[in-house]
Amino acid sequence: MVMALDAIETTCVYCGCGCGIYLHVDNNRVNAVTPSLKPPARGRLCAKGWLLPDFVGHPDRLREPMMRKGDRYVQTSWSEALSFIAKSLAEIKRDSGPDALAVLTSAKATNEENYLLMKLGRAALGTNNIDNVARLCHAPTLFALGASLGSGSMTNPIESLLHSDVIMIIGSNTTEQHPAVALHIMEARRNGAKIIVVDPRRTQIAEIADLHLQIRPGTDIALLNAILNIVIREGMIDEDFIRSRTDGFDAVRDRIAEYTPEAAERICGVPAERIHDAAVMYGSAGTAAIVYAMGITQHAHGTDNVQAIANLALATGNLGRDGAGIYPLRGHHNVQGACDMGALPDYYTGYQRVSEFREKFEAAWNVELPESHGRTAVEIMGSAGSEIRGMYISGENPALSYPNGSRIRKALESLDLLVVADIFPTETTRMADVVLPIASFAEKYGTVTSTERKVQLIRKAIDPPGSALPEWIVAAKLLEIFGIPAGYDSSADVMREIAALTPSYGGITHERLERGGIHWPCPTETHPGTPVLYRDGFPRGRALFRHVDQRRCEKEMFTLIIGRSQYHFHTGSMTRRVCILEREVPEAFVDINPEDAAALGIRNGTGVILESGSGTIRARARLSDSVNSGTLFMPFHFRESPANMLTGWQLDPHSKVPALKITSVSIRREGA
Ligand code: SF4
């Protein structure tokens, strides 16, 4: 029986909801997890949250630094590993220049770790080739909401959904991927809120929706523009809000007229009457929220998709109030924080542009900083082995998670130096020259920032295995080797430096966070934080409408939607080591409509071959009418069936997010 005294309060480190949890510890082991009563957990956790202890104490954890010697890895000391890394990075910098180096930080690491790795890249290595996994998920959010509203982040806290009259969910399998958000949506529904779901799949949340618009994949803009057109035509806009707080509405109104519900039906396949019903439901609501995830962003037109959402919220005045707002749901627990910490090629912390704030950071760090334009994550991979020769990857597994997997693997293999820091061996650590064992969330102090901009503490509950270290210590040691004074005694010291340089984090300290999480912006130590953005105005003065058009839809063989299973997380390096989660979904599956399956001679459980211009993989078919004819769905967590082998290299031109969400494939029975 675990006693309450053994409970360490901390934060779940799977999805971006940021549920508060208690780790129950005995004899340097995490034995159990229980939920916090504070929002957003409010006494509840999902399956992944309850099973957190299974990965923390797993015997596969990396324990000691390893260096490649020929075909095998040999254990080494931290001092030898770090000296080798620093020497190799310095040699590449000397021979090929600083932009031959790159740092990919981690949305699974703390804010302090992301900050110091960003500082390592810029101040020590001299490059802006710094990015994080947000490039693969919410870069369009950063770009579109940043340009339109002034901040590329969630406008309201999760709890604010309880005040919504209507919640529109687009491209989000909310119950499976953001369960804490889904529980709030269901509670809002019990209180009378109407739910609209826009999704090509009939997901769990679509089943409880008042309206499910089952669109053709990739046609969101046609649908959203038609909804906005109806809202304008039928007088459901908020004229005061538009006049007093926005620019650009007239141009959008004039151009959107061609998006009639009938024209949209021809593109997106949703009957015109249902589009009309959705427009009236959203447009006539007193307070309406829009919730979206990677079904919207991971497209070659992801930025335009997000802008179409912003146009709708602005036209109806659904911003700056409880219950209204735009909710981009982050997948990893610290995607928001990694971006806030400036792990981006064009921004320092708090979205201070490199082009405008270089001198400020040069003065603070007492070093000359690079002016050159940094590469994004996918561009870094595209240059690996040619312009890029050395790379430090923190806690990510691009061999499985990036588009066009076979090209990524070749790129990583061709580097002169690949350093990977992680808690488990992965497909990417197996290609590294040096593997660094990192402390998990249960073994270190620090902060993470959830999808609702809430900065929260993670607290050390146990010691790490072997000689594994918190990564902020690793980054600080490397900074010292490169002659950049670090001198941090704790991660709290790192946060003090972040706060001094970052207006939106200016009032955030570990000491304050001991009393509970704080929503940024929080500019001073007496500021309470800002749960709801834009109550009194927009940071850019007036918010901006921008018209976006639906791009032409190609005729596909099959459109494969790539997503996630509720029982696994990202590339499965943690959840596939949790036996209950692995028991539930032990292998990849491809959902195929029964009509298509019958035509191809495919039965439930048949092995199938999927082929695209980028690669070929095998998986097992699952007959399901959750997808329409012509559409397939599969999760990407499984190394045996790596779905991202099928995706190409197409990027959104604004945010450079790769089109990971849908790809065109053929499917056939194995052996046919
Ligand atoms: Fe963790 Fe997300 Fe589940 Fe909450 S909803 S317990 S943050 S995985």
Side-chain angles (χ1 to χ4, degrees):
M1 182 71 185
V2 176
M3 293 169 62
L5 282 176
D6 299 318
I8 313 289
E9 189 176 8
T10 185
T11 309
C12 176
V13 288
Y14 278 123
C15 84
C17 292
C19 293
I21 54 172
Y22 291 89
L23 297 182
H24 297 267
V25 174
D26 183 33
N27 198 19
N28 204 43
R29 263 189 77 84
V30 179
N31 286 336
V33 171
T34 50
S36 163
L37 297 180
K38 296 176 198 154
R42 298 164 70 221
R44 304 166 294 195
L45 296 176
C46 72
K48 288 193 282 260
W50 284 112
L51 294 168
L52 276 162
D54 291 32
F55 90 75
V56 174
H58 197 281
D60 285 356
R61 286 285 306 277
L62 293 169
R63 303 170 63 86
E64 304 296 334
M66 310 285 277
M67 286 171 67
R68 183 193 289 277
K69 298 270 189 245
D71 289 342
R72 52 194 197 93
Y73 284 98
V74 293
Q75 186 178 320
T76 186
S77 66
W78 274 103
S79 62
E80 192 182 340
L82 295 181
S83 302
F84 175 79
I85 292 167
K87 183 168 149 289
S88 306
L89 290 169
E91 279 172 10
I92 295 172
K93 182 177 173 181
R94 184 194 62 214
D95 296 345
S96 304
D99 287 337
L101 300 171
V103 177
L104 295 179
T105 77
S106 177
K108 298 203 278 280
T110 63
N111 288 326
E112 292 78 1
E113 291 169 329
N114 274 282
Y115 172 78
L116 288 187
L117 288 170
M118 178 277 291
K119 184 173 176 180
L120 175 73
R122 292 194 156 111
L125 307 184
T127 183
N128 284 317
N129 289 339
I130 295 158
D131 210 354
N132 77 89
V133 76
R135 186 68 50 196
L136 274 65
C137 52
H138 273 289
T141 296
L142 270 185
F143 193 95
L145 295 190
S148 181
L149 310 181
S151 173
S153 53
M154 201 150 121
T155 61
N156 293 45
I158 296 168
E159 262 202 314
S160 183
L161 288 167
L162 299 176
H163 303 286
S164 304
D165 298 324
V166 168
I167 302 170
M168 185 188 288
I169 303 163
I170 311 181
S172 160
N173 184 0
T174 325
T175 50
E176 296 204 16
Q177 297 313 317
H178 296 91
V181 174
L183 286 169
H184 283 79
I185 292 172
M186 288 193 256
E187 198 172 327
R189 185 170 183 272
R190 283 198 296 280
N191 296 339
K194 298 279 184 217
I195 312 296
I196 305 166
V197 170
V198 180
D199 202 304
R201 300 170 61 212
R202 206 177 68 243
T203 56
Q204 285 174 354
I205 198 90
E207 299 214 342
I208 62 130
D210 297 277
L211 259 181
H212 174 205
L213 310 183
Q214 198 163 8
I215 59 166
R216 290 194 185 108
T219 61
D220 309 85
I221 292 174
L223 180 82
L224 288 163
N225 279 358
I227 290 175
L228 179 56
N229 186 20
I230 296 164
V231 165
I232 294 170
R233 243 178 25 198
E234 300 193 8
M236 292 180 275
I237 56 174
D238 185 334
E239 288 182 11
D240 280 351
F241 186 92
I242 293 170
R243 196 175 42 250
S244 60
R245 299 187 60 180
T246 72
D247 286 327
F249 174 71
D250 291 347
V252 168
R253 182 192 52 209
D254 294 345
R255 294 186 60 192
I256 214 157
E258 69 191 71
Y259 286 89
T260 62
E262 293 74 23
E265 176 180 341
R266 286 192 290 279
I267 299 169
C268 67
V270 178
E273 316 82 70
R274 288 177 78 76
I275 299 175
H276 185 267
D277 290 347
V280 171
M281 201 179 272
Y282 180 85
S284 60
T287 54
I290 302 179
V291 174
Y292 71 89
M294 282 166 277
I296 280 288
T297 56
Q298 287 182 323
H299 293 272
H301 44 84
T303 300
D304 287 354
N305 284 350
V306 178
Q307 182 65 52
I309 288 170
N311 288 346
L312 194 52
L314 286 171
T316 50
N318 273 305
L319 286 163
R321 294 185 283 127
D322 292 326
I326 301 178
Y327 289 72
L329 303 181
R330 263 61 177 193
H332 284 53
H333 76 276
N334 202 27
V335 173
Q336 182 68 56
C339 296
D340 297 347
M341 293 302 107
L344 297 165
D346 40 359
Y347 293 101
Y348 300 118
T349 56
Y351 309 96
Q352 299 173 87
R353 285 190 180 281
V354 167
S355 53
E356 292 172 43
F357 290 89
R358 188 167 51 87
E359 286 175 10
K360 167 180 170 177
F361 281 80
E362 285 182 335
W365 294 344
N366 195 24
V367 66
E368 207 171 299
L369 293 173
E371 282 180 75
S372 57
H373 181 73
R375 288 178 160 92
T376 63
V378 184
E379 291 170 338
I380 286 169
M381 287 296 170
S383 318
S386 51
E387 291 103 322
I388 303 272
R389 294 179 51 210
M391 201 181 296
Y392 182 110
I393 299 178
S394 160
E396 298 294 347
N397 187 10
L400 215 53
S401 61
Y402 275 47
N404 202 334
S406 41
R407 180 171 168 181
I408 293 291
R409 287 172 198 222
K410 278 194 202 110
L412 293 172
E413 276 164 4
S414 61
L415 289 166
D416 293 327
L417 176 73
L418 175 59
V419 180
V420 183
D422 212 319
I423 63 170
F424 283 118
T426 67
E427 291 64 32
T428 305
T429 61
R430 289 183 194 106
M431 283 183 266
D433 298 292
V434 186
V435 179
L436 301 176
I438 295 303
S440 80
F441 81 105
E443 298 146 4
K444 61 189 173 190
Y445 288 97
T447 62
V448 292
T449 305
S450 71
T451 191
E452 57 180 354
R453 293 176 286 102
K454 188 153 89 175
V455 187
Q456 303 184 100
L457 278 180
I458 59 165
R459 293 180 175 89
K460 182 173 175 177
I462 57 172
D463 292 327
S467 68
L469 285 175
E471 206 171 5
W472 72 264
I473 294 179
V474 178
K477 284 175 185 276
L478 283 169
L479 280 165
E480 298 262 9
I481 297 175
F482 276 94
I484 311 286
Y488 310 105
D489 288 331
S490 67
S491 59
D493 287 348
V494 184
M495 180 49 80
R496 270 188 276 282
E497 184 172 313
I498 295 166
L501 285 167
T502 314
S504 54
Y505 277 66
I508 293 179
T509 64
H510 282 205
E511 292 74 26
R512 279 190 80 185
L513 294 174
E514 289 288 350
R515 300 193 291 277
I518 300 172
H519 295 85
W520 66 255
C522 174
T524 65
E525 288 205 27
T526 52
H527 192 285
T530 313
V532 177
L533 293 178
Y534 316 134
R535 279 195 194 279
D536 306 315
F538 294 99
R540 62 180 308 283
R542 294 165 71 82
L544 198 62
F545 283 90
R546 179 172 69 85
H547 177 71
V548 289
D549 272 318
Q550 175 69 50
R551 304 229 193 124
R552 192 169 59 89
C553 296
E554 304 290 346
K555 269 268 166 247
E556 313 283 13
M557 297 173 284
F558 276 86
T559 301
L560 173 67
I561 302 171
I562 296 175
R564 292 151 195 253
S565 150
Q566 73 184 106
Y567 295 107
H568 288 291
F569 184 74
H570 212 236
T571 62
S573 61
M574 297 185 287
T575 48
R576 295 202 69 197
R577 290 181 166 93
V578 177
C579 56
I580 296 175
L581 300 175
E582 184 71 350
R583 180 197 69 198
E584 290 299 313
V585 183
E587 63 175 349
F589 55 84
V590 184
D591 281 343
I592 180 168
N593 183 279
E595 271 178 40
D596 291 336
L600 294 165
I602 293 170
R603 297 188 181 177
N604 212 17
T606 301
V608 291
I609 303 294
L610 295 157
E611 197 165 353
S612 75
S614 304
T616 303
I617 64 167
R618 179 198 177 277
R620 204 169 284 286
R622 196 171 80 169
L623 271 54
S624 169
D625 56 12
S626 68
V627 287
N628 280 336
S629 176
T631 303
L632 308 169
F633 169 81
M634 83 177 288
F636 79 100
H637 316 287
F638 300 89
R639 61 184 171 279
E640 306 86 343
S641 305
N644 285 328
M645 286 283 177
L646 300 170
T647 50
W649 209 248
Q650 206 185 357
L651 303 183
D652 174 277
H654 306 288
S655 66
K656 306 292 171 71
V657 74
L660 285 164
K661 185 49 63 184
I662 56 175
T663 190
S664 172
V665 298
S666 66
I667 181 169
R668 65 177 190 277
R669 241 179 332 120
E670 203 172 18

